Amino acid sequence: MSDLALLLQRLSQLATGPLLVALVASAIVVSLIRNWRLALPVLIGQYVVVGIMLARVSQSGVAVIKILAGILVCLSLSIAAQRADDQRAARGESVAVERILHPSWRSVPAQVLLRAVATAFVLTAAFGAATRFPPPKATPDVALSAYVLIGAALLLAATASEALNAGIGLLMFISGVELVYAPLEPSVSVAVLLGFMTLALGVALSYLTLADVADRARAPT
Amino acid sequence: MLPVALLIIAVPLAAAIPALALRGLRIFELPIAVGACLFVILLLALPAAGGSTVLAIGSYQIELNAPLTILGRTLRVRDFDRYALILIFSAAALIFPLSVRANQGWTFVPLGLAMLSALSVALMIRPFVFSALALEVAASLAAMMIQVEREEAHEQHRVATLGALRFLTIVTLALPCFLGAGYVVAQATQAVAPDAATYAPAVTLLLIGFALLFGALPVFTWTHPVARDAPPLVTAFLATVYLGAITFLFLSFRQEYEWFRTSPLIVSAANLGGILMLAFGGLTAWAQRSFGRVMACGLAVEIGALLIQAGLGTVLSIEAIAIGIGARAISFGLLALGVSLLRQEFGSDEFDTLRGAGRRLVWAPLAIGIGGLSLAGLPGTIGFVSRWMSIRSLALGDQELMMLSILASASVGIAVVRGLGALLEVSPTPSPEDAPATLEMEAASRLETLRQLIGDVWGRLKARALHLSVIAPAVTIVWMGLAPHALALLAQSIANGYTFYR
């Protein structure tokens, strides 16, 4: 067993509580804050937590593939987002760093409040679904994590207009589905194919992220 | 021993590499793409001697039914997939060359080839949960084909990411349905006496998954945004090749799983989806004011008709589906070519901005007229043959559905005629942004004269390619409308293949 797989196996023996809190917190952050400089590092962290949870219910090799595929996709998305920001900066539009350093306090509270209310509803629904419709063979913590990820992902994909944020939603959706599916089909080949699929999706999303900037530049004002 | 399954996957993928390297040079990439498709068609069409050997080169034997194992999963060309794959690759081989004078972006040919490979995997791999993964990869490629950055300065048609994102999202949402159904089926096969109730969750999940993939759930999903945002021939490619692969995947489920075939939910769900799509497409088509939206409504009507036929599952209905896919490849392809020429030349496909434009660009109204009216089922075209088969199939059962299908097609026809009316209107025409200005021919030197001569010959060749890319499919539509024997023969083989259970 590789060192990474061994490390994951040890980490998977940690208490459930902190992992669950970290996963829910990451889902909340990604749902609320539509800024790639914050969202993508949080998404990497979320992939690590999902990997640790997968190691609890499946082979640690499966978890390693998940984490590596996730990190690669996040890196490719961040390169695309950085290039998109460069193009925005060249046109004199605001970029992600500026929005962190100089937030527009007039518009931020209204947007964040609306998303916070929607996220609260989604989390409540996820909790209800995890207790009333637990997926087969899933432990309660895995069930809750999966429902939180799927719920937050659907909210993000449905409400985000930018390709990057909607894409992050799709990636979270796949993570949630994998959490449900891993205990049912613990084979490494499925994990490899799911990892390959995540990479293909990541390439497409990076492409769309770049195209999004060109589109907004061309859009009539 | 070399399994044909390996070549079906590897040949388009291998062809995609030079096509990607030579992107933009359509004189090279199109023959590569068409050659790869024809090679696969040839492999599948060759008669299998001595069991399943289709070709023997030295000590290597290419076996049709030999399994290919990847990561413990088996890919195999089953008898019922054989003709379906021929039809899908034929449709791609018809659509690729239409882009010879209508730029569809650098992704169209290379990623189209890679998508063919992924869709072939989806059809051939078992257990079927892996089909869903292959479809997701195909959707990722499709998203890049839909959302392509076109280089022409005069291409002002607005490009948004909504279509690509919507398509990708819908296919991603279908993924857990197939994974869940796979688990239920695995559990059911371990049960002592599995009955219909044991398989009921799998049937429901598969129906939701297929409804999402067909674009029938919810009714307004990817068809309109994709038709608006994607290069028109990419829409035609998805309408024909992608939808064809999904249809044959659905039919292979019916063929393989008795619990799926015998479920009463299938017919009612397919009818519901079909009626919604036909009603939605039919009610909205006639009133559209742009060719992109007419294409989208035409696609909705096609999906509706296809769903109803897929639900019936009779030999006649599957023949109607197969002929419909073949007819759609040419009709939708030619319509898309016309729309593409208009967008390329005038930067728009809105009726209002194109009033009288058809008189400047005569090939566009010709392509839209013949392609669009064939899509609507005008007698004398291949579209009519498809509609006639569909009507024959429905006339034996639900005649209300038959009338709905006819009315929805007529609505598409009205929209096409309205668009043609605007195109051929006698009025001042909008001038293209960078219409080729008449060059003052000044033969200052022999070198200059030679350069001009070469330029003139090249211009004539390009114009000839445009004429050919419109006339050849237009003639094919009419010719196959009058003598559809070859397509009917293929459709019959497909129908016989997918109804072994009779």
Side-chain angles (χ1 to χ4, degrees):
Chain A
M1 189 180 286
S2 71
D3 291 341
L4 196 57
L6 204 64
L7 177 69
L8 267 178
Q9 206 169 35
R10 285 190 184 164
L11 284 172
S12 69
Q13 288 158 5
L14 288 172
T16 310
L19 287 176
L20 203 54
V21 169
L23 197 120
V24 172
S26 71
I28 291 171
V29 169
V30 173
S31 300
L32 292 184
I33 301 169
R34 308 276 165 90
N35 188 313
W36 68 270
R37 286 200 179 267
L38 292 173
L40 286 179
V42 171
L43 192 63
I44 289 179
Q46 190 185 83
Y47 270 113
V48 174
V49 176
V50 169
I52 294 169
M53 294 194 110
L54 282 174
R56 295 162 76 95
V57 293
S58 182
Q59 299 174 48
S60 42
V62 171
V64 172
I65 292 168
K66 175 74 191 165
I67 294 174
L68 291 180
I71 290 174
L72 278 174
V73 166
C74 288
L75 287 177
S76 94
L77 280 178
S78 67
I79 292 168
Q82 180 59 61
R83 284 194 61 184
D85 263 4
D86 291 345
Q87 289 179 32
R88 283 195 194 96
R91 294 201 301 260
E93 294 172 13
S94 83
V95 295
V97 178
E98 276 179 32
R99 287 200 299 276
I100 293 172
L101 296 176
H102 311 288
S104 167
W105 293 112
R106 283 187 184 172
S107 60
V108 163
Q111 291 173 6
V112 173
L113 193 65
L114 189 67
R115 288 177 206 149
V117 172
T119 309
F121 278 125
V122 164
L123 290 179
T124 312
F127 184 75
T131 49
R132 298 194 67 176
F133 311 107
K137 294 188 183 176
T139 53
D141 54 314
V142 170
L144 180 59
S145 309
Y147 278 123
V148 166
L149 283 178
I150 291 172
L154 290 178
L155 175 69
L156 197 54
T159 57
S161 59
E162 313 85 14
L164 180 64
N165 289 319
I168 289 173
L170 291 184
L171 292 169
M172 276 169 61
F173 180 79
I174 290 177
S175 292
V177 170
E178 270 189 82
L179 272 179
V180 175
Y181 194 64
L184 309 179
E185 173 75 56
S187 77
V188 178
S189 64
V190 176
V192 169
L193 288 171
L194 276 168
F196 179 68
M197 192 197 77
T198 308
L199 289 177
L201 189 62
V203 172
L205 291 173
S206 305
Y207 183 85
L208 292 181
T209 303
L210 283 170
D212 214 9
V213 186
D215 166 46
R216 277 158 211 277
R218 212 180 304 185
T221 49
Chain B
M1 187 186 69
L2 204 59
V4 168
L6 174 66
L7 292 174
I8 292 174
I9 299 165
V11 169
L13 269 185
I17 297 166
L20 188 66
L22 299 167
R23 62 183 180 274
L25 297 172
R26 268 162 278 171
I27 198 163
F28 295 113
E29 66 174 2
L30 290 179
I32 291 171
V34 175
C37 291
L38 291 180
F39 180 71
V40 171
I41 293 168
L42 184 72
L43 276 180
L44 289 163
L46 279 175
S52 78
T53 305
V54 290
L55 206 63
I57 305 166
S59 60
Y60 284 101
Q61 289 183 331
I62 300 176
E63 299 274 343
L64 182 67
N65 302 121
L68 167 71
T69 306
I70 299 174
L71 291 170
R73 314 294 149 177
T74 307
L75 291 99
R76 185 199 301 269
V77 181
R78 283 166 297 254
D79 289 330
F80 51 85
D81 286 334
R82 185 179 180 188
Y83 297 104
L85 284 166
I86 289 178
L87 186 58
I88 287 172
F89 275 87
S90 304
L94 277 170
I95 292 175
F96 282 135
L98 294 180
S99 69
V100 65
R101 290 295 300 133
N103 187 11
Q104 306 299 302
W106 67 270
T107 54
F108 179 53
V109 173
L111 297 192
L113 284 167
M115 198 175 159
L116 271 175
S117 191
L119 290 174
S120 305
V121 171
L123 275 178
M124 293 187 294
I125 201 166
R126 288 296 178 273
F128 66 79
V129 288
F130 296 94
S131 300
L133 302 182
L135 286 177
E136 181 72 26
V137 173
S140 301
L141 296 167
M144 289 191 274
M145 287 167 73
I146 294 166
Q147 181 55 56
V148 69
E149 191 66 26
R150 275 156 285 176
E151 291 90 7
E152 284 93 341
H154 55 265
E155 173 74 76
Q156 289 185 346
H157 179 74
R158 187 165 174 264
V159 183
T161 52
L162 180 67
L165 270 176
R166 190 75 68 86
F167 188 80
L168 202 54
T169 306
I170 289 296
V171 177
T172 306
L173 290 181
L175 176 72
C177 299
F178 284 86
L179 296 180
Y183 171 72
V184 174
V185 173
Q187 292 297 108
T189 47
Q190 289 168 9
V192 181
D195 55 359
T198 319
Y199 287 108
V203 173
T204 310
L205 284 169
L206 285 176
L207 284 178
I208 295 171
F210 274 114
L212 286 165
L213 292 177
F214 275 118
L217 180 76
V219 177
F220 187 96
T221 51
W222 57 267
T223 51
H224 275 66
V226 166
R228 189 196 62 187
D229 297 341
L233 281 172
V234 171
T235 310
F237 190 85
L238 295 178
T240 310
V241 176
Y242 163 79
L243 276 180
I246 301 295
T247 309
F248 289 124
L249 189 65
F250 178 84
L251 292 177
S252 70
F253 273 55
R254 282 192 75 125
Q255 173 70 39
E256 284 181 74
Y257 305 114
E258 195 185 348
W259 48 266
F260 189 68
R261 185 167 63 238
T262 52
S263 171
L265 263 180
I266 304 281
V267 179
S268 44
N271 276 352
L272 178 67
I275 289 168
L276 285 174
M277 293 300 277
L278 280 175
F280 173 71
L283 284 174
T284 54
W286 66 275
Q288 296 305 318
R289 286 184 291 184
S290 78
F291 285 109
R293 288 183 173 275
V294 173
M295 279 174 66
C297 292
L299 181 54
V301 170
E302 287 285 308
I303 294 172
L306 189 156
L307 281 174
I308 290 170
Q309 299 295 337
L312 289 177
T314 60
V315 176
L316 199 57
S317 68
I318 295 174
E319 272 186 54
I321 288 174
I323 290 185
I325 291 170
R328 204 182 312 143
I330 317 177
S331 312
F332 212 92
L334 190 58
L335 171 64
L337 173 62
V339 178
S340 193
L341 291 174
L342 288 175
R343 284 185 186 174
Q344 200 167 284
E345 199 62 28
F346 301 103
S348 170
D349 62 2
E350 301 279 338
F351 295 170
D352 283 342
T353 52
L354 290 171
R355 292 199 179 278
R359 292 175 179 272
R360 290 178 62 93
L361 194 70
V362 290
W363 298 106
L366 182 68
I368 289 172
I370 295 182
L373 292 175
S374 173
L375 190 71
L378 184 79
T381 61
I382 184 67
F384 176 72
V385 179
S386 160
R387 286 283 176 269
W388 183 249
M389 289 295 292
S390 181
I391 287 167
R392 272 185 65 201
S393 162
L394 287 172
L396 299 172
D398 201 333
Q399 292 175 359
E400 285 84 3
L401 278 180
M402 184 186 80
M403 281 310 296
L404 183 62
S405 157
I406 293 171
L407 290 175
S409 299
S411 176
V412 175
I414 291 169
V416 172
V417 171
R418 281 183 56 237
L420 280 176
L423 273 181
L424 298 173
E425 198 172 90
V426 184
S427 67
T429 57
S431 59
E433 285 281 307
D434 57 351
T438 311
L439 293 173
E440 290 294 327
M441 298 288 193
E442 288 186 18
S445 64
R446 285 185 179 182
L447 194 66
E448 181 66 13
T449 312
L450 185 66
R451 194 185 65 78
Q452 284 176 356
L453 189 66
I454 291 170
D456 192 37
V457 170
W458 180 240
R460 279 168 187 270
L461 277 175
K462 286 203 291 189
R464 187 61 58 87
L466 171 63
H467 302 170
L468 199 65
S469 70
V470 174
I471 288 173
V475 169
T476 311
I477 282 176
V478 177
W479 175 61
M480 290 191 75
L482 298 173
H485 303 97
L487 186 58
L489 204 64
L490 183 61
Q492 201 175 26
S493 305
I494 290 173
N496 288 332
Y498 280 109
T499 48
F500 275 148
Y501 51 81
R502 279 177 293 151

